[in-house]
Amino acid sequence: MENVICEVIKNENLNKDHLLLEFENNFKEDFYPGNFVHIKIEKCFLRRPFSVARFNKKSIQIIYKVVGKGTEILSQKTKGESIDIIGPLGNSFPIYKNKKICIIGGGTGIAPLIFLSEELKKFNKEIFFFYGSRNRNSIFFSVLPDGIDYIFSTDDGSFGTKGNIFDIFKKFNGFEVIYGSGPEELLKKISKFSKKVPVYLSLENYMACGMGLCYGCVVKIREKDNWEYKRVCKDGPVFRADKIIWR
Amino acid sequence: MENVICEVIKNENLNKDHLLLEFENNFKEDFYPGNFVHIKIEKCFLRRPFSVARFNKKSIQIIYKVVGKGTEILSQKTKGESIDIIGPLGNSFPIYKNKKICIIGGGTGIAPLIFLSEELKKFNKEIFFFYGSRNRNSIFFSVLPDGIDYIFSTDDGSFGTKGNIFDIFKKFNGFEVIYGSGPEELLKKISKFSKKVPVYLSLENYMACGMGLCYGCVVKIREKDNWEYKRVCKDGPVFRADKIIWR
Amino acid sequence: MKSLKTKLGKIELATPIIMTSGTFGYGIEKINFIDYEKIGAFTTKTITYNPLRGNPQPRIYETEYGMINRIGLQNPGVFYFVKNVLPKIRKKFKNIFVSIAGRNEKEFIEIIKIIKKEKISAIELNLSCPNIEKKQRMFSQDSETTYKIISIIKNETDIPLIAKLSPNVTDIKEIAISAEKAGADIISLINTVKGLSIDLKRMKIIDGGLSGPCIKPVGLKCVYDVYKVVKIPIIGIGGIIEGKDALEYILVGASAIGIGSGLFSNANIINEVYNFLENYLKKNNLMLENIIGYLNEKDWLI
Amino acid sequence: MKSLKTKLGKIELATPIIMTSGTFGYGIEKINFIDYEKIGAFTTKTITYNPLRGNPQPRIYETEYGMINRIGLQNPGVFYFVKNVLPKIRKKFKNIFVSIAGRNEKEFIEIIKIIKKEKISAIELNLSCPNIEKKQRMFSQDSETTYKIISIIKNETDIPLIAKLSPNVTDIKEIAISAEKAGADIISLINTVKGLSIDLKRMKIIDGGLSGPCIKPVGLKCVYDVYKVVKIPIIGIGGIIEGKDALEYILVGASAIGIGSGLFSNANIINEVYNFLENYLKKNNLMLENIIGYLNEKDWLI
Ligand SMILES: Cc1cc2nc3c(=O)[nH]c(=O)nc-3n(C[C@H](O)[C@H](O)[C@H](O)COP(=O)(O)OP(=O)(O)OC[C@H]3O[C@@H](n4cnc5c(N)ncnc54)[C@H](O)[C@@H]3O)c2cc1C
Ligand SMILES: Cc1cc2nc3c(=O)[nH]c(=O)nc-3n(C[C@H](O)[C@H](O)[C@H](O)COP(=O)(O)OP(=O)(O)OC[C@H]3O[C@@H](n4cnc5c(N)ncnc54)[C@H](O)[C@@H]3O)c2cc1C
Ligand SMILES: Cc1cc2nc3c(=O)[nH]c(=O)nc-3n(C[C@H](O)[C@H](O)[C@H](O)COP(=O)(O)O)c2cc1C
Ligand SMILES: Cc1cc2nc3c(=O)[nH]c(=O)nc-3n(C[C@H](O)[C@H](O)[C@H](O)COP(=O)(O)O)c2cc1C
Ligand code: FES
Ligand code: FES
């Protein structure tokens, strides 16, 4: 975990709703898929957490949606401006090797899965990426790694199959590991598969510190015969699906 | 009194400490010498008051010094940016005609006197402007109207006479009206002349509303045999010197 | 416009927007850029029996997202007010609430005797002024003195009484209940929060009352708590600077809202609050009265 | 560095910077970008007798220049703490203050019995937790319960006691005087301010404690008032986000200052506070102890 100032390399619209922010990688530590950054944004008292979508020695990228005050201000940053960032934060997806892998996600939740699939590619030949989206224009085509089998669905059928990505995923089988990220409804459904195979999900929650200090971001996690509130920022954001107690 | 959004025309250093901000005049009302504007500055809850230094149908200028958070942020505004301004606020200097006129001020306090001297010029032939400054570089030469007799003094003698402007002013006489603005110490001394001739001084104070609503900006003003707290923003900023009860 | 109508007991307001006490002067200053039609009621700066000069400088200072004031109730006294001020502002406002304060019961009653002859919509009792008979505590810092002062005044006049309470108490519910029992018709929440700031440049301390957006969570909490325990309507005040803030107060239980120091920062605040509420109601096809206390009653907590 | 030394009674701190309770966890998380040498003391998140799960979501929400939290004292209980946490953090901090809370006197004493065997610099009594025996009021919302709980605990242990008080009271001076009389060695001011905010997106209410820069004027006011009436040292807490804020607390009477949620916003806060104070003292050729309460004693008001 470091606190560094990074220069914006680019901050552009990926599509109508989403932006891709690329900034210098001034971190000494490496990032792993699932890790997030906690970004200081002017006029906001609390930082804003974002999953890392792409990472290399030179730069880091996040993909975000403008949903409120903080992301609105972030979207106005331009090349050369500095941002105050804490990272890497949180745990990461365990990287399985030589398995038949399923990645499934929807909407903005795709961000960490992009990084994850880049990584999994190195160790696995069969990677299926189930990608649900509102419509053709909301899909982050330009940042999707190659060498992966994509199965798309859109709400309006404008690309891939029309319908919910989970319904399509259900028709497949034989996966040995499942990774997911996205809307809670989707994750809940995916987690049912954890009886059969390992399922890892990346969760989101409102955060204050982002560093495990305040216990603000907890979720219910099974512990032996009981449950405990665990911190998404420190004990997560990646949890084994069979441990999560959904609301 | 209006609330308008004005575009910055320029915002440049006049000298090391002072900036001149020129913005579009989007006001319907006219400004008079002594009037001030109340400027909204990001990150500051309260507005910041500044005297109008130059005024014409097209644009308005203020001269200000960076002394804290608000003026620091203001100094970063660039051509084309918008600012939210309330004005004209406060009363103004009464304009005497055909008199031997003395204007005296120092430092940043000169700002309203520039506007005043432009106006007085129209009706008076003999205008003496006593202008005290720290050194040659602090004098706002570039914005001083012509057709006026300036008497300069600087603390270090780098321009005009070395010493306090009041000491120089004292050596002159025969003035029929005196106008002043600047450091309180100077104004206090000038106000002694109010026994002989009308003396008008522009005061400053910390302000919240700037519109006469909150009674935050009061000064002690003589009323008959007594005194009352009067609002600098509404009853002033220009007061007859013989009415002011100094701290 | 119609959808914004609200009621404070028998008082009908065309809009829920009230200019609070002390931040809109005596209503004499004409603020050109304000649309007076959008103001539901105006509360005067607090009037005392005798004229008061108020506190010496410094009186105000900016804080983090707010301000501190220690004006000290400067005002020309009730006689001057009734004779010279009230006649001038009658036409400007549909509803005038006169805020008053006394240093003890006697003074309150003396003011009431004069003010009750005037045609005004309500009297707001500024109970956040010190009660010199009780260790300089504010009247509303004690449920007994709150009860006593209100019931005495209630006996003197039929004009609706608004009890304006200080948040600087251990239990605001207790105070509000006393106010209601004593006959208050409306409760105004909150007055400023005790605060202090330091002007390091001048090395001065400004010990006074905090207002502005920084206190909004305190005001919301007070309205939320009090709404649960009283039946009389509440005016929600504290830190409103845009439309959303007003909505929040209404959702936790305010029947009307007060604009205070927010006006100093946001000159367009009245339009913004008005338009925001109107659009919100239109979009959801609701009337203002439908949403008062909505989030409180549902108790959406969790 | 030397100039920053300060004392809390007999406890010597290398710097006046204290990490406050609840905002630096149990001290286990290693925050790499913090210079632990600059921390004078660390206060643990409050420990209770039994483990507590804490409140359900939502637990936090951002407000205007601050945040609301309702964590609800989630903690693993005193046994686990003593066995598994304390040993791990001993070497990290020069001074460890253990914050504890009970729901009643009995629970407080049970914790003390365990904690008093440990080598720690002080025990901080979180008296802003509800006293279930007294109408759910916080202990420090009543001078009698404040007095009683502290004097009972004082009887049990010689470890210095810090009384952490809530600002949500009618008269903080009264409470602080009781705490001092009962034997508190140090007073910590302030805990969070009762506040509520609304997440309009999720239509949720977050009813909890307000912290951050927005409450600084409230904290300064409490320290200012209490410094006048007690002789024991004060830890000033509330809204510190940069060096200047720390200086302000010290000038009104704090012998040390607590960094709370400011760390969440300003990751460099410890360096900034440290450097600011060091430069300020050097420039004026002063030691920290020379300026504690400076503006309070002079009473520069006006
Ligand atoms: C581990 C993690 C990873 C995330 N990764 C991404 C990502 O890759 N791309 C992306 O677009 N978004 C991501 N989010 C969500 C993102 O943090 C929020 O959209 C953002 O904080 C909203 O800020 P705002 O000021 O625009 O919204 P506002 O609603 O104005 O924010 C108000 C407060 O609520 C919090 N908040 C609001 N919505 C969310 C949310 N969905 N999750 C957490 N906090 C929220 C804000 O942080 C802030 O404290 C992630 C969240 C977490 C916890
Ligand atoms: C009627 C009037 C006319 C003025 N005209 C000019 C002018 O032409 N040029 C110019 O440079 N300055 C002028 N000033 C002073 C100017 O308003 C302050 O310098 C400015 O407000 C400082 O803001 P800040 O945020 O930089 O300082 P900070 O010290 O950070 O401000 C903190 C608070 O104190 C107030 N404050 C600080 N110093 C002053 C001051 N000297 N007077 C009033 N309020 C202050 C600020 O408004 C703010 O509320 C005038 C003041 C008044 C009342
Ligand atoms: C400068 C100023 C003067 C005030 N004067 C009074 C007053 O005379 N009587 C009163 O009841 N409240 C007074 N108040 C309190 C306001 O009416 C209001 O309750 C408080 O400021 C909180 O609202 P806000 O955050 O919107 O400003 C005053 C507030 C300010 C800022
Ligand atoms: C998330 C969070 C958790 C807290 N937990 C505790 C606690 O367990 N015990 C306690 O005494 N104070 C607790 N506090 C209060 C802080 O210690 C501090 O008194 C308060 O936040 C004000 O300081 P600040 O404005 O610097 O944050 C907590 C505050 C926050 C924000
Ligand atoms: S956000 Fe503070 S513990 Fe997770
Ligand atoms: S600043 Fe409000 S009356 Fe002058």
Side-chain angles (χ1 to χ4, degrees):
Chain A
M1 179 199 312
E2 300 162 50
N3 172 229
V4 299
I5 307 292
C6 300
E7 245 184 48
V8 173
I9 297 172
K10 67 175 181 215
N11 190 22
E12 299 168 351
N13 271 83
L14 268 186
N15 56 43
K16 197 164 62 71
D17 296 330
H18 293 87
L19 288 96
L20 180 136
L21 169 68
E22 178 171 9
F23 51 83
E24 297 175 326
N25 178 1
N26 290 339
F27 293 89
K28 296 196 196 79
E29 295 162 68
D30 278 342
F31 280 70
Y32 297 96
N35 284 170
F36 66 95
V37 287
H38 214 22
I39 300 189
K40 173 81 197 151
I41 297 174
E42 292 94 83
K43 296 192 201 172
C44 297
F45 178 63
L46 295 177
R47 288 168 184 269
R48 301 293 191 259
F50 298 97
S51 300
V52 167
R54 302 216 286 182
F55 164 83
N56 64 43
K57 288 283 161 210
K58 290 238 173 90
S59 75
I60 293 174
Q61 296 183 352
I62 64 169
I63 295 170
Y64 64 99
K65 192 171 170 179
V66 174
V67 297
K69 182 177 157 196
T71 44
E72 173 65 40
I73 298 174
L74 191 63
S75 73
Q76 283 152 19
K77 294 261 165 215
T78 52
K79 186 171 154 57
E81 284 189 70
S82 298
I83 29 181
D84 170 342
I85 307 177
I86 298 178
L89 292 171
N91 66 0
S92 55
F93 288 104
I95 302 298
Y96 281 78
K97 295 177 184 174
N98 304 315
K99 302 276 179 206
K100 184 173 176 188
I101 288 191
C102 164
I103 298 176
I104 173 165
T108 317
I110 293 298
L113 301 179
I114 295 173
F115 188 4
L116 175 67
S117 55
E118 280 285 14
E119 200 61 24
L120 286 170
K121 245 171 64 174
K122 301 179 189 163
F123 310 103
N124 297 279
K125 277 186 213 112
E126 286 188 289
I127 302 179
F128 293 81
F129 194 140
F130 294 85
Y131 186 149
S133 214
R134 194 127 29 108
N135 54 45
R136 176 193 283 263
N137 294 329
S138 342
I139 301 173
F140 310 144
F141 289 114
S142 62
V143 291
L144 296 180
D146 51 18
I148 286 179
D149 290 319
Y150 293 98
I151 299 95
F152 293 100
S153 83
T154 50
D155 296 348
D156 62 357
S158 53
F159 194 78
T161 314
K162 178 171 174 160
N164 189 289
I165 193 67
F166 182 76
D167 298 329
I168 295 149
F169 153 79
K170 267 194 318 197
K171 295 177 193 148
F172 287 68
N173 51 41
F175 297 120
E176 295 168 292
V177 199
I178 301 174
Y179 299 96
S181 169
E184 196 166 307
E185 281 314 305
L186 173 63
L187 300 186
K188 256 189 218 177
K189 287 185 202 156
I190 303 171
S191 65
K192 302 222 171 87
F193 287 77
S194 61
K195 280 176 205 140
K196 301 182 206 147
V197 295
V199 178
Y200 292 90
L201 303 177
S202 172
L203 302 184
E204 293 190 1
N205 206 344
Y206 286 43
M207 292 185 174
C209 71
M211 306 177 270
L213 303 173
C214 76
Y215 290 76
C217 61
V218 298
V219 287
K220 280 189 186 174
I221 296 293
R222 246 179 276 279
E223 279 286 314
K224 295 164 209 159
D225 301 338
N226 214 323
W227 63 268
E228 227 181 278
Y229 278 125
K230 292 278 192 187
R231 299 160 298 181
V232 170
C233 71
K234 185 79 196 177
D235 307 310
V238 178
F239 291 94
R240 280 184 54 142
D242 52 351
K243 297 276 189 184
I244 303 168
I245 302 175
W246 298 98
R247 278 180 273 215
Chain B
M1 180 198 313
E2 300 163 49
N3 173 229
V4 299
I5 307 291
C6 301
E7 245 183 48
V8 173
I9 297 173
K10 68 177 181 211
N11 190 22
E12 300 168 349
N13 272 85
L14 267 186
N15 55 45
K16 197 163 63 67
D17 298 329
H18 292 86
L19 288 97
L20 180 135
L21 169 68
E22 178 169 7
F23 50 85
E24 296 175 328
N25 177 1
N26 291 339
F27 292 90
K28 296 198 197 81
E29 294 162 69
D30 279 340
F31 281 71
Y32 297 96
N35 284 170
F36 67 97
V37 286
H38 214 22
I39 300 189
K40 174 82 195 150
I41 298 174
E42 293 94 84
K43 298 192 200 173
C44 297
F45 178 63
L46 295 178
R47 289 169 183 266
R48 300 293 190 262
F50 299 97
S51 300
V52 167
R54 305 215 285 181
F55 165 84
N56 63 45
K57 288 284 161 210
K58 289 235 171 91
S59 76
I60 292 173
Q61 297 183 352
I62 63 168
I63 295 170
Y64 65 101
K65 192 171 170 178
V66 173
V67 296
K69 182 178 158 197
T71 45
E72 175 64 41
I73 298 173
L74 191 61
S75 73
Q76 284 151 19
K77 293 262 165 214
T78 52
K79 186 173 155 60
E81 284 189 69
S82 296
I83 29 179
D84 170 341
I85 307 177
I86 300 179
L89 293 170
N91 66 0
S92 56
F93 289 104
I95 302 298
Y96 280 77
K97 294 179 185 172
N98 303 316
K99 301 276 178 205
K100 183 173 176 189
I101 287 190
C102 164
I103 298 176
I104 173 166
T108 317
I110 293 298
L113 301 180
I114 295 174
F115 189 4
L116 175 66
S117 56
E118 279 288 12
E119 199 61 26
L120 286 172
K121 244 171 69 175
K122 300 180 190 160
F123 309 102
N124 298 276
K125 276 187 214 112
E126 285 187 289
I127 302 180
F128 294 80
F129 194 141
F130 293 84
Y131 186 148
S133 212
R134 197 137 16 116
N135 54 47
R136 177 192 285 263
N137 294 329
S138 340
I139 301 173
F140 309 144
F141 289 114
S142 62
V143 292
L144 296 181
D146 51 17
I148 286 179
D149 292 317
Y150 293 99
I151 300 96
F152 293 100
S153 83
T154 50
D155 294 348
D156 63 358
S158 54
F159 194 79
T161 314
K162 178 173 175 158
N164 188 292
I165 193 68
F166 183 76
D167 297 329
I168 295 149
F169 153 79
K170 265 194 323 196
K171 294 180 192 146
F172 287 68
N173 50 40
F175 295 121
E176 294 169 296
V177 199
I178 301 174
Y179 300 97
S181 169
E184 196 166 308
E185 281 315 302
L186 172 64
L187 300 187
K188 253 189 220 179
K189 286 186 202 156
I190 304 172
S191 66
K192 302 224 171 85
F193 287 77
S194 62
K195 280 177 205 140
K196 297 182 207 146
V197 294
V199 178
Y200 291 91
L201 303 176
S202 171
L203 301 184
E204 293 190 0
N205 207 344
Y206 286 41
M207 291 183 174
C209 70
M211 306 176 271
L213 302 173
C214 76
Y215 290 76
C217 61
V218 297
V219 286
K220 279 190 186 173
I221 296 293
R222 246 179 275 280
E223 278 285 315
K224 291 164 210 158
D225 301 338
N226 216 320
W227 63 268
E228 226 180 282
Y229 277 125
K230 292 277 191 185
R231 300 160 298 181
V232 170
C233 73
K234 186 78 194 179
D235 307 310
V238 178
F239 290 94
R240 280 185 57 143
D242 52 350
K243 296 277 190 185
I244 302 168
I245 302 177
W246 299 96
R247 280 181 270 215
Chain C
M1 177 78 181
K2 248 198 205 158
S3 65
L4 286 187
K5 274 198 307 185
T6 188
K7 272 187 186 173
L8 293 171
K10 284 176 208 147
I11 309 166
E12 302 203 344
L13 303 186
T15 87
I17 300 171
I18 299 178
M19 305 313 288
T20 67
S21 181
T23 51
F24 208 61
Y26 299 102
I28 292 183
E29 314 309 339
K30 174 99 184 75
I31 309 302
N32 300 348
F33 52 80
I34 281 184
D35 184 352
Y36 283 73
E37 286 299 308
K38 291 181 179 155
I39 297 175
F42 159 62
T43 313
T44 67
K45 180 161 175 51
T46 299
I47 314 285
T48 55
Y49 187 71
N50 291 313
L52 281 184
R53 278 175 169 157
N55 285 330
Q57 287 290 335
R59 284 187 173 187
I60 46 170
Y61 198 61
E62 189 181 59
T63 64
E64 282 74 9
Y65 224 154
M67 64 176 284
I68 299 256
N69 90 79
R70 50 183 294 281
I71 309 297
L73 296 186
Q74 170 171 359
N75 81 91
V78 68
F79 290 101
Y80 183 93
F81 172 76
V82 164
K83 195 161 160 236
N84 300 300
V85 180
L86 250 190
K88 282 193 200 146
I89 62 172
R90 283 213 181 282
K91 268 176 247 146
K92 266 189 178 159
F93 303 100
K94 287 172 218 140
N95 289 288
I96 293 172
F97 299 167
V98 178
S99 168
I100 65 165
R103 281 168 302 180
N104 50 34
E105 288 166 12
K106 214 175 122 247
E107 265 190 24
F108 261 111
I109 294 168
E110 280 171 350
I111 306 170
I112 291 287
K113 285 195 172 139
I114 297 156
I115 212 81
K116 74 179 182 187
K117 297 177 206 148
E118 302 298 321
K119 222 179 122 324
I120 55 178
S121 300
I123 295 171
E124 181 165 278
L125 307 174
N126 176 355
L127 300 178
S128 310
C129 57
N131 172 359
I132 53 166
E133 277 159 23
K134 209 155 175 187
K135 293 192 296 175
Q136 296 280 2
R137 282 234 178 139
M138 304 174 193
F139 281 92
S140 68
Q141 279 188 321
D142 180 310
S143 35
E144 272 168 51
T145 49
T146 301
Y147 182 85
K148 199 149 166 242
I149 191 76
I150 298 174
S151 45
I152 290 172
I153 295 170
K154 192 71 196 170
N155 256 331
E156 292 284 330
T157 177
D158 289 335
I159 300 177
L161 294 183
I162 307 170
K164 182 158 183 195
L165 306 182
S166 164
N168 285 99
V169 292
T170 305
D171 185 354
I172 190 73
K173 297 191 287 304
E174 211 176 275
I175 311 287
I177 291 169
S178 300
E180 180 178 44
K181 273 196 196 142
D185 300 281
I186 299 155
I187 285 180
S188 235
L189 281 169
I190 58 177
N191 213 312
T192 53
V193 175
K194 276 190 192 177
L196 179 148
S197 75
I198 297 178
D199 180 348
L200 286 174
K201 260 196 225 157
R202 297 182 292 178
M203 270 302 206
K204 285 205 167 140
I205 275 176
I206 301 94
D207 182 357
L210 189 60
S211 64
C214 56
I215 68 164
K216 191 183 71 176
V218 178
L220 286 172
K221 170 68 173 157
C222 288
V223 172
Y224 179 77
D225 283 353
V226 167
Y227 183 78
K228 291 192 183 303
V229 297
V230 303
K231 293 211 174 58
I232 52 178
I234 300 169
I235 301 172
I237 306 171
I240 295 174
I241 197 161
E242 55 179 359
K244 176 176 83 50
D245 305 322
L247 176 64
E248 289 176 3
Y249 271 100
I250 293 164
L251 289 174
V252 294
S255 295
I257 55 91
I259 307 273
S261 41
L263 173 67
F264 305 164
S265 199
N266 179 3
N268 199 28
I269 188 166
I270 311 226
N271 278 325
E272 283 183 18
V273 168
Y274 184 93
N275 296 340
F276 183 94
L277 292 177
E278 197 175 46
N279 289 340
Y280 183 87
L281 293 169
K282 195 183 278 170
K283 214 172 60 193
N284 295 290
N285 203 15
L286 291 164
M287 303 288 280
L288 189 91
E289 54 189 24
N290 303 138
I291 63 168
I292 296 169
Y294 178 75
L295 272 186
N296 202 328
E297 280 162 14
K298 290 257 177 181
D299 234 323
W300 284 74
L301 191 64
I302 299 158
Chain D
M1 176 80 180
K2 248 197 206 159
S3 66
L4 286 187
K5 276 198 306 187
T6 189
K7 273 186 185 173
L8 291 171
K10 284 176 207 144
I11 309 165
E12 300 204 344
L13 303 185
T15 86
I17 300 171
I18 299 177
M19 304 314 289
T20 66
S21 181
T23 50
F24 208 61
Y26 299 103
I28 291 182
E29 315 309 339
K30 173 97 186 77
I31 308 302
N32 300 348
F33 51 78
I34 281 183
D35 185 352
Y36 282 73
E37 287 297 310
K38 291 182 179 156
I39 297 176
F42 159 61
T43 313
T44 67
K45 182 160 174 52
T46 299
I47 315 285
T48 55
Y49 187 71
N50 291 313
L52 281 184
R53 277 177 169 155
N55 286 330
Q57 287 289 336
R59 285 188 171 185
I60 47 170
Y61 199 61
E62 188 181 62
T63 64
E64 282 74 9
Y65 224 153
M67 64 176 283
I68 300 257
N69 90 80
R70 49 185 293 281
I71 308 297
L73 295 187
Q74 170 169 0
N75 81 94
V78 69
F79 291 100
Y80 183 94
F81 173 75
V82 163
K83 194 160 161 240
N84 301 300
V85 180
L86 250 189
K88 283 194 199 145
I89 62 170
R90 283 213 182 284
K91 269 176 245 144
K92 264 190 181 159
F93 303 100
K94 289 173 216 140
N95 289 288
I96 293 174
F97 299 166
V98 178
S99 170
I100 65 164
R103 280 167 302 177
N104 50 34
E105 288 166 13
K106 211 173 123 254
E107 266 190 23
F108 262 111
I109 294 167
E110 280 170 349
I111 307 170
I112 290 288
K113 285 194 174 138
I114 297 155
I115 212 82
K116 75 178 180 187
K117 297 176 204 147
E118 302 298 321
K119 223 182 123 320
I120 55 175
S121 299
I123 295 170
E124 181 165 279
L125 308 174
N126 177 353
L127 300 177
S128 310
C129 57
N131 173 0
I132 53 166
E133 277 160 23
K134 208 157 174 184
K135 293 191 294 177
Q136 296 278 3
R137 282 236 176 140
M138 303 174 194
F139 283 92
S140 68
Q141 280 188 323
D142 179 311
S143 35
E144 272 168 51
T145 50
T146 300
Y147 182 85
K148 198 148 165 244
I149 190 77
I150 297 175
S151 45
I152 291 172
I153 296 171
K154 193 69 195 170
N155 257 331
E156 292 285 330
T157 179
D158 288 335
I159 300 178
L161 295 183
I162 306 169
K164 184 160 181 193
L165 307 181
S166 164
N168 285 99
V169 293
T170 304
D171 185 355
I172 190 74
K173 296 191 289 302
E174 211 175 274
I175 311 288
I177 290 169
S178 301
E180 181 178 44
K181 272 197 197 141
D185 300 282
I186 299 155
I187 286 180
S188 235
L189 279 169
I190 57 176
N191 214 313
T192 52
V193 175
K194 276 191 192 174
L196 180 148
S197 76
I198 298 178
D199 179 348
L200 286 174
K201 262 195 226 157
R202 297 182 292 176
M203 268 301 206
K204 284 205 167 138
I205 276 176
I206 301 95
D207 183 358
L210 188 60
S211 64
C214 56
I215 68 164
K216 191 183 70 175
V218 178
L220 286 172
K221 170 69 172 158
C222 289
V223 172
Y224 179 78
D225 282 354
V226 168
Y227 183 78
K228 291 193 185 302
V229 297
V230 303
K231 292 208 174 58
I232 53 178
I234 300 169
I235 301 171
I237 305 171
I240 294 176
I241 197 161
E242 56 179 359
K244 176 176 82 50
D245 305 321
L247 176 64
E248 290 176 1
Y249 271 100
I250 294 166
L251 289 173
V252 294
S255 295
I257 55 90
I259 307 274
S261 42
L263 173 68
F264 306 163
S265 197
N266 178 5
N268 198 28
I269 189 167
I270 311 229
N271 278 326
E272 283 182 18
V273 169
Y274 184 93
N275 296 340
F276 183 94
L277 291 177
E278 197 175 46
N279 289 339
Y280 182 88
L281 292 170
K282 194 184 276 171
K283 216 173 57 194
N284 296 289
N285 203 16
L286 290 165
M287 305 287 282
L288 189 91
E289 53 188 24
N290 303 138
I291 63 168
I292 296 168
Y294 179 74
L295 273 185
N296 201 326
E297 280 162 14
K298 291 257 177 178
D299 236 325
W300 285 73
L301 191 64
I302 298 157

